[in-house]
Structures are given as C-alpha cells and as structure tokens.
Amino acid sequence: MSDLQFRTVQPVGSEAALLDWQHIHNLIIPTATLSVDEIVVRAQRNILEVAYVEGSPVGCSTVRPPESDAAAATVIARVLPGHRRHGYGEQIYQQGLARARDLGAQVIDTVVLASNDDGLRFARQHGFVEIERYVLPGDTVPFVDLRLA
Ligand SMILES: CC(C)(COP(=O)(O)OP(=O)(O)OC[C@H]1O[C@@H](n2cnc3c(N)ncnc32)[C@H](O)[C@@H]1OP(=O)(O)O)[C@@H](O)C(=O)NCCC(=O)NCCS
C-alpha cells in the first residue's frame, strides 16, 4: 500500500485539486453532481481534500465542521472504483476523522448513497449506524445518514 499525499481544495475555481475533487465526487455520486461554483462555495466552509498516489488522484474527502458544540461533524471518504481495496479508503477516512476531531467534533456522521454498497459496508465496519434515509428533490436514489456509535 502506498502512502497518500493530500491536497486541500482552495476556494478558487481553476485550481487543479478542485477539478480533481469534482471529477471524483461526480463520478461516485452521479445523482448529485456539483459544479465548480458549488464546490468553491463548499470549500469555504468545509475541508475538501484530494488524495494522490505518485501525482494521480485516487480519492477525495469532505469534512463538514460541527455547527455547534453539540452538533455532529460529517466525514465522507471516496475512492475511485479502480483504486479500491488497497487501503486508501482507510487512510482518507482516518485523515478526515482526525480533521473533524481537531475541529472539536464529539459526534461524527457520514453520508452514503444507498446504491454504494462498498460505502455502506465500509461505514458499518467502521462503527457507523444508520440514522436517516431520504431522497432529495429530483433524485431517485436515497442518501443514508449514519452516525459513529
Ligand atoms: C468506502 C470506500 C471509500 C472504501 O474505499 P477503499 O479504498 O476500498 O477502502 P479500503 O481499501 O481501506 O478498505 C476496503 C476493503 O479492502 C480491504 N483491503 C485494504 N487493503 C487491501 C489490500 N492491500 N488487499 C486486499 N484488500 C485490502 C480492507 O480490509 C477492506 O475490506 P473489507 O471490506 O472486507 O473490510 C469506497 O468504497 C468508496 O468510495 N465508496 C463510495 C463512497 C462512499 O460511499 N463513501 C462513504 C464511506 S465514509
């Protein structure tokens, strides 16, 4: 297993890391694709990172900070299908979890598209339990919210 290099997405539209994050996100979540402008807005309040192996993007993450002392932070790891089962998801998740804890999060949530079997299995194996399932307006596939027990 190779070590990953992480780059944080800066809220600047033309940045390479932002475009890599967009590519990975939209490929894995095709039912809720994000434009560059939407990602720029998200990068202002969330920590968005891209994980690289020898310069090639293999995955990305989203960490939504807690909105209050009692609120949950959200940590989402994503790995491109061709790079799964090499331990990258674990490294990306642990990095996101550490970022959330650094932000003071006591409660950790994650979100998985219900059709992402790998994601649901990964989340459950890391101690997350389902708390909510919902379909966004215009979508057909539900999102599953899970909380670290
Ligand atoms: C969830 C996700 C990030 C996991 O990524 P990944 O890189 O495959 O994760 P890992 O490689 O760390 O672990 C996956 C499996 O591969 C195994 N594995 C790790 N390194 C391995 C290796 N070198 N050889 C064989 N298997 C290996 C792990 O033990 C784990 O096995 P398990 O499913 O039986 O427990 C990925 O499937 C994904 O992007 N899913 C869609 C997005 C999503 O739903 N994310 C939410 C999760 S927070």
Side-chain angles (χ1 to χ4, degrees), residues 1 28-29 75-80 83-91 93 110-113 116 118-123 125:
M1 179 179 64
I28 294 176
I29 318 287
V75 176
I76 306 169
R78 304 178 197 91
V79 172
L80 288 169
H83 292 281
R84 290 184 187 166
R85 303 192 71 81
H86 290 88
Y88 299 146
E90 182 71 33
Q91 287 187 61
Y93 168 67
T110 194
V111 187
V112 181
L113 196 60
N116 274 336
D118 288 350
L120 283 174
R121 192 178 66 247
F122 183 92
Q125 283 178 344

Side-chain angles (χ1 to χ4, degrees), residues 95-141:
Q95 163 107 346
L97 188 60
R99 297 244 184 266
R101 297 287 190 211
D102 286 349
L103 292 165
Q106 307 286 325
V107 182
I108 306 291
D109 285 354
T110 194
V111 187
V112 181
L113 196 60
S115 54
N116 274 336
D117 293 334
D118 288 350
L120 283 174
R121 192 178 66 247
F122 183 92
R124 289 183 177 130
Q125 283 178 344
H126 285 78
F128 286 86
V129 293
E130 182 172 338
I131 52 174
E132 199 181 356
R133 198 173 271 246
Y134 50 90
V135 180
L136 291 179
D139 276 7
T140 49
V141 183

Side-chain angles (χ1 to χ4, degrees), residues 28-83:
I28 294 176
I29 318 287
T31 59
T33 56
L34 294 173
S35 69
V36 165
D37 288 348
E38 288 169 321
I39 297 167
V40 167
V41 171
R42 284 176 191 227
Q44 289 165 11
R45 57 173 196 260
N46 299 336
I47 301 172
L48 309 181
E49 289 188 295
V50 183
Y52 295 87
V53 174
E54 295 170 1
S56 293
V58 297
C60 74
S61 63
T62 297
V63 177
R64 291 185 205 133
E67 286 172 8
S68 67
D69 284 352
T74 301
V75 176
I76 306 169
R78 304 178 197 91
V79 172
L80 288 169
H83 292 281

